[in-house]
Amino acid sequence: MTMTQATEQKHEIIANGEATAIMPTGGKQKPITVIGTEAIRNTFDDLCLQQAINSRQAPGVTDLVLNPDAHCGYGAPVGCVMVSPSHVYPGPVGVDIKCSMSLLQTSLPADAVDDKKVRRALIKAICDRTPTGAGRGQRNVPKSRHVDEALGKRVLVEGASRGVCEELGIPAEWANHCEDASHVGHNDSTGSLALRLEKLLPNMYKFADKMSQLGSYGGGNHFGECEVVQVGEDKRSREAAEVFGLVDGGVAFLSHCGSRGIGHQLATGQFKALQNKFEQWDIPLPGQDKQLVYAPLGTAEANAYLDDMALGANFATVNHMLINALVLEAFQEVIPGTTGQLVYFISHNIARKEIVDNRPAWVHRKGATRAFPGGHHALKGTPFAKTGHPILLPGNPQAGSAVMVADEGAALSCYSVNHGAGRQLGRKAAKRALDQAEVDRSFDETDILTNCRSYPIDEAPAAYKDFDEVLHSVKSAGLASEVARLKARFVIKDGDKADD
DNA sequence: ATGTGC
């Protein structure tokens, strides 16, 4: 797609307080819901808007929401929610299937990590067990935790099942603190997922190597971060924090990672397969965009996509669970007696079957986080039925990150909020505009240690939007409220590593 | 995001 095509598309804006709507002209459809003020809306470039309009007008789509952090993505913008009762779309899930956040609350008080030597020892112990970087997999992990091809297949098919958790030394009760502990594919059966995997295996590139990536972060914006929890002083924050297991003034660990090489392989395999079908059958693409291929529910193509998405999602889930188990072990090695509890695990790149407007639909969240408030029917029987589930919103190490909880107003955004601060500088622009020495000095001044000799400059806090502004737009749109702020004490990133 | 080039 070209920018010329993008600017040719006409649309009108319907303003409605903090939330606005974009109506593609000539259509009778429900407009695109935009969360964010006019100032936020003005940050969307033409291609991002064109992707939103293409997605809105694509077959079977009934709702499209753009979040304040929206920017160009693969077919659909990153920072959008796309709802369809009849079709599945791989683009609006993305290449990193089930990229997610997780938060582990430890029993340690904040002053346990004051000493720089202790923090350096923790960084080493954590990096020994949970490496960063593309292509990097397990190292220094005991044989009992090594994921070979056979265990990898179970992980892909079962997700964080009781059996898989036992094999890997993951506390089984953590599965109750997952958005979805296991994904079952197109017909709700692990049997059909196993069959799909057997069909795929002969053409899988380095399958065993990909399985051995379980328990690793990867690169880019993925990270692990040691935090001090600051619970809000209001009654609702205190009550929610208690249900979530958050300890005010305690040490916690926040992780951001996804399905690594296997998720990428499954996603790109699906794009290629569907693009070939569209070409072969000469079907028009939404907005002539090859990245917006889709499959109608009930077809062999949709079944294959839903199965592959489930396989990738299961890997991502167990990846996060294992990282949390290994990080807890690292804490125990450095500070004996430390205990830990998973607060929550929640994705921002996944399609889920939910009830929208009283009928089942696939809700594709692409760089968007599910936000069910207390009393939502889908939370019945979970620990979060009354409060709403925890929303983990990464900001940046210096401004902090947030734990939020949804409000009734989240219905406006198909029960979703943004998935982070969003970039304000592209990677190239950040490298041009920011000074490495100054970025490193800012970490020294705020007493935040890292595993890198120099912090990756395109990931510097200044490359991201002002986090308080972002939180303000979520709160003022009535989507969610802040429960706690997380303040970083050290960061694990893929970069110029001090231990290599 | 990624077997960081199929």
Side-chain angles (χ1 to χ4, degrees):
Chain A
M1 174 180 326
T2 65
M3 292 304 280
T4 320
Q5 276 175 299
T7 48
E8 276 168 8
Q9 177 73 47
K10 298 226 169 27
H11 61 268
E12 61 180 298
I13 303 281
I14 304 163
N16 174 23
E18 294 290 342
T20 56
I22 297 174
M23 172 72 97
T25 53
K28 290 175 186 167
Q29 302 155 317
K30 184 175 168 187
I32 297 167
T33 301
V34 182
I35 305 301
T37 56
E38 189 178 355
I40 292 273
R41 205 176 60 230
N42 289 337
T43 67
F44 301 150
D45 65 33
D46 284 345
L47 184 54
C48 174
L49 280 175
Q50 182 63 59
Q51 288 187 333
I53 291 166
N54 291 344
S55 303
R56 178 66 195 85
Q57 295 180 323
V61 175
T62 54
D63 280 281
L64 198 99
V65 179
L66 267 189
N67 279 329
D69 57 343
H71 57 274
C72 296
Y74 196 89
V78 175
C80 86
V81 186
M82 181 206 247
V83 181
S84 176
S86 53
H87 292 65
V88 284
Y89 283 80
V93 171
V95 287
D96 188 3
I97 294 168
K98 210 182 183 190
C99 187
S100 313
M101 301 300 307
S102 65
L103 184 68
L104 178 78
Q105 173 72 58
T106 78
S107 55
L108 298 171
D111 61 12
V113 294
D114 275 347
D115 188 342
K116 278 195 171 68
K117 276 186 204 155
V118 170
R119 273 183 283 156
R120 287 203 190 93
L122 284 167
I123 289 172
K124 187 178 183 315
I126 292 167
C127 289
D128 275 351
R129 292 167 171 84
T130 59
T132 59
R136 298 295 286 274
Q138 298 187 315
R139 47 177 188 174
N140 304 337
V141 167
K143 276 216 170 70
S144 60
R145 283 269 179 58
H146 183 75
V147 181
D148 61 11
E149 188 166 330
L151 181 51
K153 283 158 72 171
R154 276 192 78 186
V155 167
L156 292 183
V157 171
E158 296 175 29
S161 67
R162 183 164 284 273
V164 164
C165 287
E166 274 170 16
E167 284 286 335
L168 288 165
I170 296 164
E173 73 269 17
W174 286 5
N176 298 326
H177 294 246
C178 286
E179 180 181 24
D180 295 297
S182 301
H183 293 252
V184 286
H186 80 276
N187 73 348
D188 296 347
S189 118
T190 51
S192 76
L193 266 191
L195 284 174
R196 173 69 185 164
L197 180 57
E198 289 307 321
K199 197 179 163 193
L200 288 170
L201 272 171
N203 295 317
M204 290 288 221
Y205 177 83
K206 293 188 180 175
F207 181 76
D209 286 359
K210 289 195 167 55
M211 293 305 98
S212 82
Q213 291 179 337
L214 205 75
S216 65
Y217 298 102
N221 58 3
H222 290 176
F223 66 87
E225 209 168 274
C226 177
E227 315 279 2
V228 169
V229 178
Q230 297 174 348
V231 175
E233 284 173 9
D234 59 296
K235 188 163 172 264
R236 186 181 175 209
S237 294
R238 296 272 155 187
E239 286 174 357
E242 173 124 18
V243 174
F244 294 176
L246 287 168
V247 180
D248 189 31
V251 172
F253 197 85
L254 184 68
S255 306
H256 177 205
C257 56
S259 49
R260 308 286 284 103
I262 189 70
H264 183 263
Q265 189 180 9
L266 290 162
T268 52
Q270 280 295 329
F271 281 118
K272 281 177 200 159
L274 282 167
Q275 284 163 359
N276 285 341
K277 295 273 180 188
F278 270 69
E279 209 164 309
Q280 190 186 324
W281 295 338
D282 198 24
I283 306 169
L285 289 151
Q288 289 101 52
D289 190 341
K290 277 178 87 168
Q291 299 177 343
L292 263 185
V293 287
Y294 56 86
L297 289 176
T299 61
E301 288 76 15
N303 292 347
Y305 178 70
L306 290 172
D307 286 352
D308 289 5
M309 183 185 78
L311 293 168
N314 283 336
F315 186 92
T317 306
V318 183
N319 190 25
H320 267 264
M321 295 301 111
L322 183 57
I323 282 176
N324 280 286
L326 293 169
V327 164
L328 180 55
E329 274 187 15
F331 269 95
Q332 287 164 340
E333 181 183 86
V334 177
I335 309 171
T338 307
T339 58
Q341 171 63 44
L342 189 73
V343 172
Y344 208 52
F345 161 77
I346 188 163
S347 181
H348 44 246
N349 277 10
I350 194 73
R352 302 180 78 252
K353 202 195 279 181
E354 295 176 6
I355 304 295
V356 181
D357 295 334
N358 298 314
R359 63 172 169 171
W362 283 89
V363 179
H364 305 67
R365 293 192 177 87
K366 167 78 169 287
T369 310
R370 189 190 70 174
F372 288 161
H376 190 284
H377 65 88
L379 293 178
K380 206 175 166 189
T382 76
F384 311 112
K386 282 188 183 161
T387 53
H389 62 79
I391 297 167
L392 306 176
L393 208 65
N396 71 64
Q398 289 164 11
S401 292
V403 180
M404 302 188 85
V405 68
D407 291 312
E408 295 298 331
L412 179 69
S413 57
C414 302
Y415 296 107
S416 314
V417 296
N418 49 306
H419 77 311
R423 300 194 79 87
Q424 83 181 337
L425 294 174
R427 292 188 185 278
K428 280 181 194 165
K431 283 174 187 162
R432 269 197 308 272
L434 304 176
D435 178 66
Q436 182 71 60
E438 208 169 298
V439 170
D440 290 336
R441 195 161 54 243
S442 73
F443 276 85
D444 286 344
E445 279 165 5
T446 49
D447 190 25
I448 299 168
L449 301 181
T450 84
N451 64 319
C452 304
R453 281 200 180 84
S454 52
Y455 199 82
I457 199 157
D458 51 348
E459 285 294 316
Y464 286 88
K465 286 180 194 164
D466 182 295
F467 192 52
D468 284 307
E469 272 297 312
V470 172
L471 288 180
H472 174 74
S473 66
V474 176
K475 294 179 209 168
S476 59
L479 305 183
S481 302
E482 196 172 336
V483 171
R485 198 64 76 96
L486 309 171
K487 288 304 184 76
R489 299 312 313 276
F490 64 80
V491 187
I492 313 257
K493 287 287 285 185
D494 177 31
D496 169 19
K497 299 179 192 74
D499 65 337
D500 277 355

